[in-house]
Amino acid sequence: MISAYERDRRQPTLKTLLRLLRAAGFDLIFHLAPHDPHDDVLEALELKRTPQEKARRDAEIEKWRRAAPAGNRAS
């Protein structure tokens, strides 16, 4: 069942989630926070990108992923 949760095949009930968290040594605590439109703004910007812009961005991200960390570069 946990594998199904991990693969997003099923969703635990709140009661089950609380039991799983307790078994792992955690408590679930909720709090209200003001809405942050950051993700909405990023989504709107992404929708405006052309396919060429998306391809260029993806290529840059791939370069960053492959780059060595700054402390590991040869002098």
Side-chain angles (χ1 to χ4, degrees):
M1 190 57 73
I2 291 176
S3 174
Y5 298 150
E6 290 173 339
R7 291 179 291 127
D8 204 24
R9 302 258 188 219
R10 296 192 57 150
Q11 298 297 316
T13 64
L14 182 56
K15 183 177 179 179
T16 299
L17 176 60
L18 291 172
R19 286 179 41 224
L20 289 168
L21 289 171
R22 283 189 198 113
F26 294 96
D27 285 322
L28 181 63
I29 299 171
F30 289 99
H31 72 273
L32 298 177
H35 175 70
D36 180 355
H38 179 78
D39 289 338
D40 300 332
V41 169
L42 291 178
E43 181 180 18
L45 290 171
E46 182 64 19
L47 291 173
K48 292 179 182 178
R49 288 184 196 263
T50 66
Q52 295 83 9
E53 290 170 327
K54 290 176 183 179
R56 187 175 64 234
R57 182 229 23 234
D58 292 346
E60 287 297 317
I61 290 172
E62 190 57 33
K63 282 187 214 174
W64 294 333
R65 284 185 180 141
R66 293 179 183 192
N72 294 346
R73 291 191 181 143
S75 301

